[in-house]
Amino acid sequence: MARLFKREGERKSLWQRIKDVAFMDATVAMKGLDQGSLERLEELLLANDFGVKATLRLTDVVEDLSRKGRIRTEREFLETVEREILGILRAGGEDTALRFAAPGAGPTVFLMVGVNGVGKTTTTGKLAYRLRKQGRRVLLAAGDTFRAGAIEQLRLWADRAGVDFVGAQPGADPAAVAFDAIDAARSRAVDVVLIDTAGRLHTQSDLMAELAKVERVVAKKIEGAPHETLLVLDATVGQNATAQARTFSQALKLSGLVLAKLDSTAKGGIVVALREEFGIPVKLIGTGEGIDALEPFDAREFAREVLTD
Ligand SMILES: Nc1nc2c(ncn2[C@@H]2O[C@H](COP(=O)(O)OP(=O)(O)O)[C@@H](O)[C@H]2O)c(=O)[nH]1
Ligand SMILES: [Mg+2]
């Protein structure tokens, strides 16, 4: 991965800030971390969007190991926090790979969901480009029929990515759009259909009902589909992302998260918070507005960079 997080001038990394407080006192090496240091660690993790659950888990482990005399040096401290973060990110296994239909059982269908403005359409365009570069034939389906502009925006991404496109009339039923897109994919020998969706309707329950209907129609048409239902979240909104994940996971079977706009925040803890809270893996991260600014999520690299970047 490239540099993940935003640089803010002379900003100190999270780790520099943690160790500033924790190692002010040379007695740490003798007695372990004092209560003040642990509280400061807790504050810093919370301020970096790790969320209450993951923060308490991390500080509990640090406190415990410190008391047992197993955190005596800065290196041991850093390794402990990094290892525990990785443990949270990998709970349930290393499941960050995208799932595709078995040969002959396609096309693969990915449903892209999330509230307005998080980066859904952009992510859909970038993902189309990425999959096409891997040699797959891709089709984008305009399932956000709520705003006329959204259909046009997706068409532009299809052109940019050099992939197929199935549009819709504004106000059309997104489930019907998905249905038609899968038929089109079959007749054009397309491998992967990416369905963009609306992020806002008249009410939130309308939106959830509409998305659930798309999911149902797709599942009826292809066994095992949608192969991925990816919730796109905006990394800059911090704990709001948790509320969004909760709402969407109640209506849909989410298979993965995409954290867009990581390049626009200096905080990455939300990735850890989401995993601890929902057990849904982050599969992709958005690192810019350009067509190639989408990367697979690498837990090990992330665990290191969230502290030291
Ligand atoms: N910096 C940055 N901007 C992004 C990223 N992903 C999306 N955006 C921007 O976020 C804004 C909203 O994106 P859009 O795809 O229209 O969101 P949607 O409403 O969820 O479909 C646009 O200005 C995008 O360029 C990202 O990874 N990094
Ligand atoms: Mg959109």
Side-chain angles (χ1 to χ4, degrees):
M1 290 191 281
R3 170 175 292 289
L4 287 182
F5 303 107
K6 187 180 176 186
R7 263 286 131 124
E8 286 170 345
E10 294 300 296
R11 179 179 69 85
K12 287 182 172 183
S13 71
L14 176 57
W15 183 250
Q16 282 168 321
R17 281 173 288 153
I18 289 173
K19 78 177 194 211
D20 278 355
V21 286
F23 287 92
M24 282 184 312
D25 190 350
T27 58
V28 166
M30 308 287 293
K31 298 182 182 165
L33 295 167
D34 63 9
Q35 205 54 37
S37 296
L38 286 164
E39 275 165 23
R40 189 78 185 110
L41 171 65
E42 193 173 296
E43 274 169 31
L44 283 166
L45 291 172
L46 286 172
N48 275 267
D49 291 338
F50 279 75
V52 174
K53 254 174 117 176
T55 294
L56 290 180
R57 159 144 20 169
L58 292 169
T59 46
D60 280 355
V61 170
V62 167
E63 183 173 14
D64 183 50
L65 291 180
S66 169
R67 204 181 306 116
K68 289 175 179 156
R70 284 169 46 201
I71 299 180
R72 292 188 180 280
T73 64
E74 183 198 326
R75 187 178 185 80
E76 284 170 351
F77 190 18
L78 177 61
E79 280 172 358
T80 301
V81 180
E82 197 177 305
R83 188 179 60 240
E84 290 305 313
I85 288 174
L86 192 59
I88 292 173
L89 293 176
R90 285 183 170 165
E94 192 80 74
D95 45 9
T96 58
L98 296 170
R99 191 169 74 89
F100 292 89
T108 295
V109 180
F110 292 176
L111 202 53
M112 312 295 293
V113 301
V115 306
N116 249 10
V118 289
K120 241 178 349 291
T121 304
T122 306
T123 299
T124 306
K126 292 179 193 174
L127 183 56
Y129 178 71
R130 187 177 174 85
L131 295 172
R132 202 211 73 192
K133 275 200 310 182
Q134 292 169 356
R136 299 177 200 270
R137 183 153 182 187
V138 180
L139 182 150
L140 295 187
D144 180 359
T145 61
F146 189 65
R147 299 178 304 127
I151 301 167
E152 217 28 58
Q153 187 193 357
L154 191 71
R155 185 197 306 279
L156 283 175
W157 273 110
D159 287 348
R160 237 175 268 162
V163 302
D164 284 45
F165 175 74
V166 166
Q169 290 303 315
D173 178 358
V177 176
F179 191 94
D180 292 347
I182 291 171
D183 281 342
R186 282 185 168 140
S187 68
R188 299 183 205 173
V190 160
D191 305 307
V192 187
V193 179
L194 305 182
I195 304 174
D196 190 23
T197 61
R200 180 170 56 84
L201 288 188
H202 307 288
T203 70
Q204 183 175 282
S205 59
D206 282 350
L207 176 62
M208 294 306 143
E210 176 174 293
L211 295 173
K213 185 174 167 196
V214 176
E215 184 185 53
R216 243 176 3 254
V217 164
V218 168
K220 258 198 191 152
K221 210 152 165 66
I222 302 172
E223 208 190 313
H227 302 85
E228 293 282 355
T229 298
L230 299 173
L231 175 64
V232 182
L233 297 166
D234 178 338
T236 66
V237 306
Q239 293 302 313
N240 267 347
T242 310
Q244 292 167 20
R246 186 167 300 115
T247 305
F248 279 82
S249 66
Q250 281 161 3
L252 301 166
K253 224 161 65 207
L254 299 178
S255 60
L257 306 175
V258 180
L259 241 309
K261 311 189 197 181
L262 260 184
D263 59 290
S264 304
T265 177
K267 306 171 182 176
I270 189 64
V271 172
V272 183
L274 288 165
R275 183 64 188 244
E276 176 76 7
E277 186 87 16
F278 299 101
I280 306 170
V282 174
K283 295 201 167 179
L284 299 163
I285 54 174
T287 54
E289 297 187 89
I291 197 163
D292 51 11
L294 183 74
E295 303 177 25
F297 180 70
D298 180 327
R300 179 171 289 285
E301 198 155 357
F302 189 90
R304 190 169 50 237
E305 294 200 8
V306 75
L307 291 170
T308 57
D309 197 10

